[in-house]
Amino acid sequence: MSIEQLVEFIDNPKIEVKLAAIEQVLGFSGTPEGRFSLLKTDVVRILIKYIGSTDQKLNINVLKSLINLSEDPDMLNTMIERHIISRTVDTIGDNESSSEVVEHCAMLLVNVTRTPEGVFKLLQVGEPLMGYSLLKLLMYFCKSVPKGGKDLFAFIASVITNVTQTEEGRKLILDKTRGILLKLLPYIHDGNVIRRRGLISALRNCLFEKEYHDWLFSDEVKILTYLLLPFRGTEEFDKEDQEGMPDELKKVVPDKKKEQDIECKKLLIDCITLLTATPKGRAFMKAKKVYPILREYDLREEDDEIHEKIYHLVHVLVLEEVPDAEVKERIVSRRLQNEVDEEGEPIEEI
């Protein structure tokens, strides 16, 4: 049997024949050689027809195959041209879709929005209802996850990251009238690391749009509070450090846990660094006491790359007028000072 004949069997009216054929196609789709053999077939067009199939097993294997096939640029372009995005978004919102189908749809959307063409299709650029499909996705994303349940929509955070790789996507997310950013910001503190990474990455992309920084600093958004809370622990600050600090950051919350994920921490520091792009932004951040929070956090951080990122940020933000060597000495000396235990005795190295 040729590969072309195998693909045609997916359209067989008998469900058992369909399932057998799609299982074979799924196997081929998982390797570069198999994808190459499928390249000249009509497999993409046929598979897209079955997204949303009432047979959940068929549906899942179709989605898995398409996820694999989207690794090939040519087949990815074919998927986008054949309206795979609208069909996948509709399937996510279908109450008849199983949890596994919904999760695989979200994963598929991550892959097909890796290119600007995929993002433009999702955003419906140039259409009267531009942004409608994205708003539907965000509605699903913002649904509360049942306690103890699986987070089916976590991968939508990565779709949002892809969307913000384009200027059109950034402007849509930052559109004050739509209020999208305000709905998304709380999720950078979510318990699911996939959500946190995706949304912080998206925020970092948005912060390249400097004309929005004043609004982001405003009390309507309070961007600094969202970005700094993951670095805030149970440390207490003296009155001088607290003066001007946002109230949410002054509070000492017992058992407050800091961000543990290294990637999230790097992204958060990148976000704060991007906000130093203008003199006005730097002055605002100094007044809001960004430096003391990062200073105390840096004392307890163990990752060298994060130390370097904080050092660079502090140098730009607070100590522009101080010689470079003195900046480093100040940070290092504070870190060494922290190695003394609460009773004032040096920690003994074993």
Side-chain angles (χ1 to χ4, degrees), residues 44-107:
V44 170
R45 180 189 66 79
I46 293 173
L47 290 176
I48 289 175
K49 287 196 305 182
Y50 293 101
I51 295 176
S53 167
T54 54
D55 187 289
Q56 298 298 305
K57 185 176 180 182
L58 177 65
N59 205 348
I60 289 165
N61 282 343
V62 163
L63 291 166
K64 286 180 177 179
S65 298
L66 287 166
I67 289 168
N68 290 341
L69 293 175
S70 64
E71 293 292 320
D72 181 90
D74 291 326
M75 284 195 270
L76 175 59
N77 288 335
T78 302
M79 292 178 196
I80 294 167
E81 290 167 2
R82 291 191 170 276
H83 309 292
I84 192 172
I85 290 174
S86 59
R87 198 171 181 97
T88 306
V89 171
D90 289 343
T91 302
I92 288 177
D94 187 343
N95 291 330
E96 299 300 318
S97 296
S98 69
S99 58
E100 194 174 357
V101 166
V102 169
E103 189 173 31
H104 279 85
C105 280
M107 293 167 67

Short mmCIF file of all heavy atoms in Angstrom, two decimals, residues 44-107:
data_model
loop_
_atom_site.label_atom_id
_atom_site.label_comp_id
_atom_site.label_asym_id
_atom_site.label_seq_id
_atom_site.Cartn_x
_atom_site.Cartn_y
_atom_site.Cartn_z
N VAL A 44 -2.97 16.95 5.08
CA VAL A 44 -3.37 18.10 5.91
C VAL A 44 -4.84 18.44 5.69
O VAL A 44 -5.60 18.62 6.65
CB VAL A 44 -2.47 19.32 5.61
CG1 VAL A 44 -3.03 20.58 6.27
CG2 VAL A 44 -1.04 19.06 6.09
N ARG A 45 -5.25 18.51 4.43
CA ARG A 45 -6.65 18.83 4.13
C ARG A 45 -7.59 17.82 4.76
O ARG A 45 -8.62 18.18 5.35
CB ARG A 45 -6.87 18.87 2.61
CG ARG A 45 -8.32 19.21 2.21
CD ARG A 45 -8.54 19.03 0.72
NE ARG A 45 -8.43 17.63 0.31
CZ ARG A 45 -9.37 16.72 0.46
NH1 ARG A 45 -10.53 17.04 1.05
NH2 ARG A 45 -9.18 15.47 0.06
N ILE A 46 -7.24 16.53 4.65
CA ILE A 46 -8.11 15.47 5.16
C ILE A 46 -8.16 15.52 6.70
O ILE A 46 -9.24 15.42 7.30
CB ILE A 46 -7.62 14.09 4.67
CG1 ILE A 46 -7.80 13.98 3.15
CG2 ILE A 46 -8.35 12.96 5.39
CD1 ILE A 46 -7.20 12.74 2.53
N LEU A 47 -7.02 15.70 7.34
CA LEU A 47 -6.99 15.72 8.80
C LEU A 47 -7.79 16.88 9.38
O LEU A 47 -8.52 16.72 10.38
CB LEU A 47 -5.55 15.78 9.31
CG LEU A 47 -4.70 14.53 9.11
CD1 LEU A 47 -3.27 14.79 9.56
CD2 LEU A 47 -5.28 13.34 9.88
N ILE A 48 -7.68 18.04 8.76
CA ILE A 48 -8.38 19.22 9.28
C ILE A 48 -9.89 19.00 9.31
O ILE A 48 -10.58 19.48 10.21
CB ILE A 48 -8.01 20.48 8.45
CG1 ILE A 48 -6.56 20.88 8.75
CG2 ILE A 48 -8.95 21.64 8.75
CD1 ILE A 48 -6.04 22.02 7.90
N LYS A 49 -10.40 18.23 8.35
CA LYS A 49 -11.85 17.94 8.32
C LYS A 49 -12.33 17.27 9.59
O LYS A 49 -13.49 17.41 9.98
CB LYS A 49 -12.18 17.02 7.13
CG LYS A 49 -12.10 17.69 5.77
CD LYS A 49 -12.81 16.83 4.72
CE LYS A 49 -12.27 15.42 4.66
NZ LYS A 49 -12.93 14.62 3.60
N TYR A 50 -11.43 16.52 10.23
CA TYR A 50 -11.85 15.71 11.38
C TYR A 50 -11.53 16.36 12.73
O TYR A 50 -11.74 15.74 13.77
CB TYR A 50 -11.22 14.32 11.28
CG TYR A 50 -11.78 13.54 10.11
CD1 TYR A 50 -11.06 13.42 8.92
CD2 TYR A 50 -13.05 12.97 10.18
CE1 TYR A 50 -11.59 12.74 7.84
CE2 TYR A 50 -13.58 12.28 9.10
CZ TYR A 50 -12.84 12.17 7.92
OH TYR A 50 -13.38 11.50 6.84
N ILE A 51 -11.02 17.59 12.70
CA ILE A 51 -10.90 18.33 13.97
C ILE A 51 -12.31 18.59 14.47
O ILE A 51 -13.15 19.13 13.76
CB ILE A 51 -10.15 19.67 13.77
CG1 ILE A 51 -8.71 19.44 13.35
CG2 ILE A 51 -10.19 20.50 15.06
CD1 ILE A 51 -7.94 20.72 13.06
N GLY A 52 -12.59 18.18 15.70
CA GLY A 52 -13.94 18.33 16.24
C GLY A 52 -14.82 17.12 16.01
O GLY A 52 -16.03 17.17 16.28
N SER A 53 -14.24 16.03 15.51
CA SER A 53 -15.01 14.81 15.29
C SER A 53 -15.68 14.35 16.58
O SER A 53 -15.13 14.49 17.68
CB SER A 53 -14.09 13.70 14.76
OG SER A 53 -14.73 12.44 14.81
N THR A 54 -16.86 13.78 16.47
CA THR A 54 -17.57 13.28 17.65
C THR A 54 -16.90 12.03 18.22
O THR A 54 -17.12 11.69 19.38
CB THR A 54 -19.03 12.94 17.30
OG1 THR A 54 -19.05 12.05 16.18
CG2 THR A 54 -19.81 14.21 16.97
N ASP A 55 -16.08 11.38 17.40
CA ASP A 55 -15.31 10.24 17.90
C ASP A 55 -14.04 10.80 18.56
O ASP A 55 -13.14 11.27 17.87
CB ASP A 55 -14.96 9.27 16.76
CG ASP A 55 -14.31 7.99 17.27
OD1 ASP A 55 -13.15 8.06 17.72
OD2 ASP A 55 -14.96 6.94 17.22
N GLN A 56 -13.99 10.73 19.87
CA GLN A 56 -12.90 11.38 20.61
C GLN A 56 -11.53 10.78 20.30
O GLN A 56 -10.53 11.49 20.22
CB GLN A 56 -13.18 11.32 22.11
CG GLN A 56 -14.45 12.05 22.54
CD GLN A 56 -14.39 13.54 22.24
OE1 GLN A 56 -13.49 14.24 22.64
NE2 GLN A 56 -15.39 14.04 21.51
N LYS A 57 -11.48 9.46 20.11
CA LYS A 57 -10.19 8.83 19.80
C LYS A 57 -9.67 9.32 18.46
O LYS A 57 -8.48 9.63 18.30
CB LYS A 57 -10.32 7.31 19.81
CG LYS A 57 -8.99 6.61 19.63
CD LYS A 57 -9.12 5.09 19.72
CE LYS A 57 -7.76 4.42 19.54
NZ LYS A 57 -7.88 2.94 19.59
N LEU A 58 -10.56 9.37 17.47
CA LEU A 58 -10.17 9.87 16.15
C LEU A 58 -9.72 11.33 16.26
O LEU A 58 -8.69 11.71 15.70
CB LEU A 58 -11.35 9.76 15.18
CG LEU A 58 -11.12 10.30 13.76
CD1 LEU A 58 -10.06 9.49 13.04
CD2 LEU A 58 -12.43 10.30 12.97
N ASN A 59 -10.49 12.10 16.99
CA ASN A 59 -10.19 13.52 17.16
C ASN A 59 -8.79 13.73 17.76
O ASN A 59 -7.99 14.54 17.28
CB ASN A 59 -11.25 14.15 18.08
CG ASN A 59 -11.41 15.64 17.84
OD1 ASN A 59 -10.61 16.27 17.17
ND2 ASN A 59 -12.45 16.21 18.42
N ILE A 60 -8.49 12.99 18.81
CA ILE A 60 -7.20 13.14 19.49
C ILE A 60 -6.04 12.75 18.58
O ILE A 60 -5.02 13.44 18.50
CB ILE A 60 -7.19 12.31 20.79
CG1 ILE A 60 -8.12 12.95 21.82
CG2 ILE A 60 -5.78 12.20 21.36
CD1 ILE A 60 -8.47 12.06 22.98
N ASN A 61 -6.18 11.63 17.86
CA ASN A 61 -5.10 11.20 16.97
C ASN A 61 -4.92 12.15 15.78
O ASN A 61 -3.81 12.34 15.29
CB ASN A 61 -5.34 9.77 16.47
CG ASN A 61 -4.99 8.74 17.53
OD1 ASN A 61 -4.29 9.04 18.50
ND2 ASN A 61 -5.46 7.51 17.36
N VAL A 62 -6.02 12.75 15.33
CA VAL A 62 -5.93 13.78 14.28
C VAL A 62 -5.12 14.96 14.80
O VAL A 62 -4.21 15.47 14.14
CB VAL A 62 -7.34 14.23 13.84
CG1 VAL A 62 -7.27 15.57 13.09
CG2 VAL A 62 -7.97 13.17 12.95
N LEU A 63 -5.45 15.41 16.02
CA LEU A 63 -4.75 16.56 16.60
C LEU A 63 -3.27 16.26 16.84
O LEU A 63 -2.40 17.09 16.56
CB LEU A 63 -5.43 16.98 17.90
CG LEU A 63 -6.83 17.58 17.74
CD1 LEU A 63 -7.55 17.64 19.08
CD2 LEU A 63 -6.74 18.98 17.13
N LYS A 64 -2.99 15.07 17.35
CA LYS A 64 -1.60 14.68 17.58
C LYS A 64 -0.81 14.66 16.26
O LYS A 64 0.34 15.11 16.19
CB LYS A 64 -1.53 13.29 18.23
CG LYS A 64 -1.93 13.28 19.69
CD LYS A 64 -1.84 11.87 20.25
CE LYS A 64 -2.17 11.83 21.74
NZ LYS A 64 -2.10 10.45 22.28
N SER A 65 -1.45 14.14 15.21
CA SER A 65 -0.79 14.09 13.90
C SER A 65 -0.51 15.50 13.38
O SER A 65 0.57 15.78 12.87
CB SER A 65 -1.67 13.33 12.89
OG SER A 65 -1.88 12.00 13.29
N LEU A 66 -1.48 16.38 13.52
CA LEU A 66 -1.31 17.76 13.05
C LEU A 66 -0.25 18.50 13.85
O LEU A 66 0.51 19.31 13.29
CB LEU A 66 -2.64 18.50 13.11
CG LEU A 66 -3.66 18.09 12.04
CD1 LEU A 66 -5.05 18.62 12.39
CD2 LEU A 66 -3.23 18.58 10.65
N ILE A 67 -0.18 18.24 15.15
CA ILE A 67 0.88 18.84 15.97
C ILE A 67 2.25 18.43 15.44
O ILE A 67 3.15 19.25 15.29
CB ILE A 67 0.71 18.43 17.45
CG1 ILE A 67 -0.52 19.14 18.05
CG2 ILE A 67 1.96 18.77 18.26
CD1 ILE A 67 -0.94 18.60 19.41
N ASN A 68 2.39 17.15 15.14
CA ASN A 68 3.66 16.65 14.59
C ASN A 68 3.94 17.25 13.21
O ASN A 68 5.06 17.69 12.91
CB ASN A 68 3.64 15.13 14.49
CG ASN A 68 3.68 14.45 15.84
OD1 ASN A 68 4.07 15.05 16.84
ND2 ASN A 68 3.27 13.19 15.88
N LEU A 69 2.94 17.26 12.36
CA LEU A 69 3.12 17.73 10.98
C LEU A 69 3.42 19.23 10.93
O LEU A 69 4.06 19.69 9.97
CB LEU A 69 1.88 17.41 10.15
CG LEU A 69 1.59 15.93 9.89
CD1 LEU A 69 0.26 15.76 9.17
CD2 LEU A 69 2.72 15.28 9.10
N SER A 70 2.97 19.96 11.94
CA SER A 70 3.23 21.41 11.93
C SER A 70 4.70 21.74 12.12
O SER A 70 5.11 22.89 11.98
CB SER A 70 2.40 22.09 13.03
OG SER A 70 2.81 21.65 14.32
N GLU A 71 5.52 20.74 12.41
CA GLU A 71 6.97 20.93 12.46
C GLU A 71 7.54 21.21 11.07
O GLU A 71 8.61 21.80 10.93
CB GLU A 71 7.66 19.69 13.05
CG GLU A 71 7.35 19.44 14.52
CD GLU A 71 7.94 20.51 15.42
OE1 GLU A 71 9.08 20.94 15.17
OE2 GLU A 71 7.25 20.92 16.36
N ASP A 72 6.82 20.78 10.04
CA ASP A 72 7.26 21.02 8.66
C ASP A 72 6.72 22.37 8.18
O ASP A 72 5.50 22.58 8.19
CB ASP A 72 6.74 19.90 7.74
CG ASP A 72 7.20 20.09 6.30
OD1 ASP A 72 8.27 19.59 5.95
OD2 ASP A 72 6.45 20.77 5.56
N PRO A 73 7.59 23.28 7.76
CA PRO A 73 7.13 24.62 7.36
C PRO A 73 6.09 24.63 6.25
O PRO A 73 5.13 25.42 6.28
CB PRO A 73 8.42 25.32 6.92
CG PRO A 73 9.52 24.57 7.59
CD PRO A 73 9.05 23.16 7.68
N ASP A 74 6.27 23.75 5.28
CA ASP A 74 5.32 23.72 4.15
C ASP A 74 3.94 23.25 4.60
O ASP A 74 2.91 23.83 4.22
CB ASP A 74 5.85 22.81 3.03
CG ASP A 74 7.08 23.39 2.36
OD1 ASP A 74 7.16 24.63 2.25
OD2 ASP A 74 7.96 22.62 1.95
N MET A 75 3.92 22.20 5.41
CA MET A 75 2.62 21.71 5.89
C MET A 75 2.00 22.69 6.87
O MET A 75 0.76 22.83 6.92
CB MET A 75 2.78 20.31 6.49
CG MET A 75 2.93 19.24 5.42
SD MET A 75 2.71 17.55 6.00
CE MET A 75 4.38 17.15 6.45
N LEU A 76 2.83 23.39 7.62
CA LEU A 76 2.32 24.42 8.52
C LEU A 76 1.61 25.52 7.73
O LEU A 76 0.51 25.95 8.08
CB LEU A 76 3.46 25.01 9.35
CG LEU A 76 3.11 26.18 10.27
CD1 LEU A 76 2.02 25.79 11.27
CD2 LEU A 76 4.34 26.68 11.00
N ASN A 77 2.21 25.95 6.65
CA ASN A 77 1.59 26.98 5.80
C ASN A 77 0.26 26.49 5.22
O ASN A 77 -0.71 27.25 5.14
CB ASN A 77 2.54 27.38 4.67
CG ASN A 77 3.70 28.21 5.17
OD1 ASN A 77 3.60 28.87 6.21
ND2 ASN A 77 4.82 28.19 4.46
N THR A 78 0.24 25.22 4.82
CA THR A 78 -1.00 24.65 4.28
C THR A 78 -2.10 24.65 5.35
O THR A 78 -3.26 24.97 5.07
CB THR A 78 -0.76 23.21 3.78
OG1 THR A 78 0.27 23.22 2.78
CG2 THR A 78 -2.03 22.62 3.18
N MET A 79 -1.73 24.31 6.57
CA MET A 79 -2.71 24.31 7.67
C MET A 79 -3.31 25.70 7.85
O MET A 79 -4.53 25.86 8.01
CB MET A 79 -2.03 23.88 8.98
CG MET A 79 -1.60 22.44 9.03
SD MET A 79 -0.76 22.07 10.61
CE MET A 79 0.04 20.52 10.18
N ILE A 80 -2.45 26.71 7.87
CA ILE A 80 -2.91 28.08 8.08
C ILE A 80 -3.84 28.52 6.95
O ILE A 80 -4.89 29.12 7.19
CB ILE A 80 -1.70 29.04 8.21
CG1 ILE A 80 -0.90 28.71 9.48
CG2 ILE A 80 -2.15 30.49 8.23
CD1 ILE A 80 0.46 29.37 9.56
N GLU A 81 -3.46 28.18 5.70
CA GLU A 81 -4.28 28.54 4.54
C GLU A 81 -5.64 27.86 4.57
O GLU A 81 -6.63 28.38 4.06
CB GLU A 81 -3.54 28.17 3.26
CG GLU A 81 -2.31 29.06 2.99
CD GLU A 81 -1.43 28.48 1.90
OE1 GLU A 81 -1.80 27.42 1.33
OE2 GLU A 81 -0.37 29.08 1.61
N ARG A 82 -5.69 26.68 5.18
CA ARG A 82 -6.94 25.90 5.20
C ARG A 82 -7.74 26.14 6.49
O ARG A 82 -8.53 25.30 6.91
CB ARG A 82 -6.65 24.41 4.99
CG ARG A 82 -6.17 24.12 3.58
CD ARG A 82 -6.13 22.64 3.26
NE ARG A 82 -5.90 22.41 1.84
CZ ARG A 82 -6.84 22.41 0.91
NH1 ARG A 82 -8.10 22.63 1.25
NH2 ARG A 82 -6.54 22.19 -0.35
N HIS A 83 -7.50 27.25 7.13
CA HIS A 83 -8.33 27.73 8.24
C HIS A 83 -8.31 26.79 9.45
O HIS A 83 -9.33 26.63 10.13
CB HIS A 83 -9.78 27.96 7.79
CG HIS A 83 -9.88 28.81 6.55
ND1 HIS A 83 -9.56 30.15 6.53
CD2 HIS A 83 -10.23 28.50 5.27
CE1 HIS A 83 -9.72 30.64 5.33
NE2 HIS A 83 -10.12 29.66 4.53
N ILE A 84 -7.14 26.23 9.72
CA ILE A 84 -7.06 25.33 10.86
C ILE A 84 -7.29 26.08 12.17
O ILE A 84 -7.81 25.52 13.14
CB ILE A 84 -5.68 24.62 10.89
CG1 ILE A 84 -5.70 23.46 11.89
CG2 ILE A 84 -4.55 25.60 11.22
CD1 ILE A 84 -4.47 22.59 11.86
N ILE A 85 -6.94 27.35 12.21
CA ILE A 85 -7.02 28.11 13.46
C ILE A 85 -8.47 28.29 13.91
O ILE A 85 -8.82 28.01 15.07
CB ILE A 85 -6.29 29.46 13.33
CG1 ILE A 85 -4.78 29.20 13.24
CG2 ILE A 85 -6.61 30.38 14.50
CD1 ILE A 85 -3.93 30.41 12.97
N SER A 86 -9.33 28.74 13.01
CA SER A 86 -10.73 28.96 13.40
C SER A 86 -11.38 27.64 13.81
O SER A 86 -12.17 27.60 14.77
CB SER A 86 -11.51 29.61 12.26
OG SER A 86 -11.47 28.80 11.09
N ARG A 87 -11.05 26.57 13.11
CA ARG A 87 -11.63 25.27 13.44
C ARG A 87 -11.17 24.79 14.82
O ARG A 87 -11.95 24.21 15.60
CB ARG A 87 -11.24 24.26 12.36
CG ARG A 87 -12.12 23.02 12.35
CD ARG A 87 -11.83 22.16 11.14
NE ARG A 87 -12.69 21.01 11.11
CZ ARG A 87 -13.82 20.92 10.42
NH1 ARG A 87 -14.22 21.94 9.69
NH2 ARG A 87 -14.54 19.82 10.43
N THR A 88 -9.90 25.04 15.13
CA THR A 88 -9.35 24.61 16.41
C THR A 88 -9.93 25.43 17.56
O THR A 88 -10.26 24.89 18.62
CB THR A 88 -7.81 24.73 16.39
OG1 THR A 88 -7.29 24.01 15.27
CG2 THR A 88 -7.20 24.15 17.65
N VAL A 89 -10.06 26.74 17.36
CA VAL A 89 -10.66 27.61 18.39
C VAL A 89 -12.09 27.17 18.67
O VAL A 89 -12.52 27.10 19.83
CB VAL A 89 -10.61 29.08 17.96
CG1 VAL A 89 -11.42 29.96 18.93
CG2 VAL A 89 -9.17 29.58 17.89
N ASP A 90 -12.84 26.86 17.63
CA ASP A 90 -14.23 26.41 17.81
C ASP A 90 -14.29 25.10 18.59
O ASP A 90 -15.19 24.90 19.42
CB ASP A 90 -14.91 26.23 16.45
CG ASP A 90 -15.20 27.56 15.76
OD1 ASP A 90 -15.18 28.60 16.45
OD2 ASP A 90 -15.42 27.56 14.54
N THR A 91 -13.35 24.20 18.33
CA THR A 91 -13.34 22.91 19.02
C THR A 91 -13.02 23.09 20.50
O THR A 91 -13.57 22.38 21.35
CB THR A 91 -12.32 21.95 18.35
OG1 THR A 91 -12.66 21.79 16.97
CG2 THR A 91 -12.32 20.59 19.02
N ILE A 92 -12.14 24.02 20.82
CA ILE A 92 -11.84 24.30 22.23
C ILE A 92 -13.11 24.73 22.97
O ILE A 92 -13.35 24.34 24.11
CB ILE A 92 -10.75 25.40 22.35
CG1 ILE A 92 -9.39 24.84 21.93
CG2 ILE A 92 -10.68 25.95 23.77
CD1 ILE A 92 -8.27 25.85 21.95
N GLY A 93 -13.94 25.52 22.30
CA GLY A 93 -15.16 26.02 22.94
C GLY A 93 -16.34 25.09 22.88
O GLY A 93 -17.41 25.40 23.44
N ASP A 94 -16.18 23.95 22.22
CA ASP A 94 -17.29 22.99 22.09
C ASP A 94 -17.46 22.21 23.39
O ASP A 94 -16.53 21.53 23.85
CB ASP A 94 -16.99 22.04 20.93
CG ASP A 94 -18.16 21.13 20.60
OD1 ASP A 94 -19.07 20.99 21.44
OD2 ASP A 94 -18.15 20.54 19.50
N ASN A 95 -18.62 22.28 23.97
CA ASN A 95 -18.87 21.59 25.24
C ASN A 95 -18.76 20.07 25.12
O ASN A 95 -18.61 19.37 26.13
CB ASN A 95 -20.26 21.94 25.77
CG ASN A 95 -20.35 23.38 26.22
OD1 ASN A 95 -19.35 23.96 26.67
ND2 ASN A 95 -21.53 23.98 26.10
N GLU A 96 -18.85 19.57 23.89
CA GLU A 96 -18.75 18.12 23.68
C GLU A 96 -17.30 17.64 23.60
O GLU A 96 -17.04 16.44 23.61
CB GLU A 96 -19.47 17.73 22.38
CG GLU A 96 -20.96 18.06 22.36
CD GLU A 96 -21.71 17.34 23.47
OE1 GLU A 96 -21.44 16.15 23.70
OE2 GLU A 96 -22.55 17.98 24.12
N SER A 97 -16.35 18.57 23.51
CA SER A 97 -14.93 18.19 23.41
C SER A 97 -14.44 17.67 24.76
O SER A 97 -14.69 18.28 25.80
CB SER A 97 -14.08 19.38 22.99
OG SER A 97 -14.42 19.81 21.69
N SER A 98 -13.72 16.56 24.71
CA SER A 98 -13.16 16.00 25.95
C SER A 98 -12.00 16.87 26.43
O SER A 98 -11.46 17.70 25.68
CB SER A 98 -12.66 14.58 25.71
OG SER A 98 -11.51 14.59 24.87
N SER A 99 -11.60 16.68 27.68
CA SER A 99 -10.50 17.47 28.22
C SER A 99 -9.21 17.24 27.44
O SER A 99 -8.42 18.16 27.21
CB SER A 99 -10.29 17.12 29.70
OG SER A 99 -10.02 15.74 29.86
N GLU A 100 -8.99 16.00 26.98
CA GLU A 100 -7.78 15.71 26.21
C GLU A 100 -7.81 16.39 24.85
O GLU A 100 -6.78 16.90 24.37
CB GLU A 100 -7.63 14.19 26.04
CG GLU A 100 -6.24 13.78 25.56
CD GLU A 100 -6.05 12.28 25.52
OE1 GLU A 100 -6.98 11.54 25.92
OE2 GLU A 100 -4.97 11.85 25.09
N VAL A 101 -8.97 16.46 24.24
CA VAL A 101 -9.11 17.16 22.95
C VAL A 101 -8.82 18.64 23.13
O VAL A 101 -8.07 19.25 22.35
CB VAL A 101 -10.52 16.95 22.37
CG1 VAL A 101 -10.79 17.94 21.24
CG2 VAL A 101 -10.68 15.52 21.85
N VAL A 102 -9.37 19.25 24.17
CA VAL A 102 -9.16 20.68 24.42
C VAL A 102 -7.68 20.97 24.63
O VAL A 102 -7.13 21.93 24.06
CB VAL A 102 -9.97 21.13 25.66
CG1 VAL A 102 -9.57 22.53 26.09
CG2 VAL A 102 -11.46 21.09 25.34
N GLU A 103 -7.03 20.15 25.42
CA GLU A 103 -5.61 20.37 25.70
C GLU A 103 -4.77 20.25 24.42
O GLU A 103 -3.86 21.07 24.19
CB GLU A 103 -5.11 19.38 26.75
CG GLU A 103 -3.71 19.69 27.24
CD GLU A 103 -3.29 18.81 28.41
OE1 GLU A 103 -3.76 17.64 28.47
OE2 GLU A 103 -2.52 19.27 29.25
N HIS A 104 -5.08 19.27 23.58
CA HIS A 104 -4.31 19.11 22.34
C HIS A 104 -4.62 20.22 21.34
O HIS A 104 -3.74 20.61 20.56
CB HIS A 104 -4.58 17.72 21.74
CG HIS A 104 -3.77 16.63 22.37
ND1 HIS A 104 -4.18 15.99 23.52
CD2 HIS A 104 -2.56 16.10 22.04
CE1 HIS A 104 -3.26 15.10 23.86
NE2 HIS A 104 -2.27 15.14 22.99
N CYS A 105 -5.83 20.73 21.36
CA CYS A 105 -6.15 21.89 20.51
C CYS A 105 -5.29 23.09 20.90
O CYS A 105 -4.77 23.80 20.03
CB CYS A 105 -7.63 22.26 20.65
SG CYS A 105 -8.75 21.22 19.68
N ALA A 106 -5.15 23.31 22.20
CA ALA A 106 -4.33 24.43 22.67
C ALA A 106 -2.87 24.24 22.25
O ALA A 106 -2.21 25.19 21.83
CB ALA A 106 -4.44 24.56 24.19
N MET A 107 -2.38 23.01 22.34
CA MET A 107 -1.01 22.73 21.93
C MET A 107 -0.82 22.95 20.43
O MET A 107 0.20 23.48 19.98
CB MET A 107 -0.64 21.29 22.30
CG MET A 107 -0.58 21.05 23.81
SD MET A 107 -0.51 19.30 24.25
CE MET A 107 1.11 18.84 23.62
#
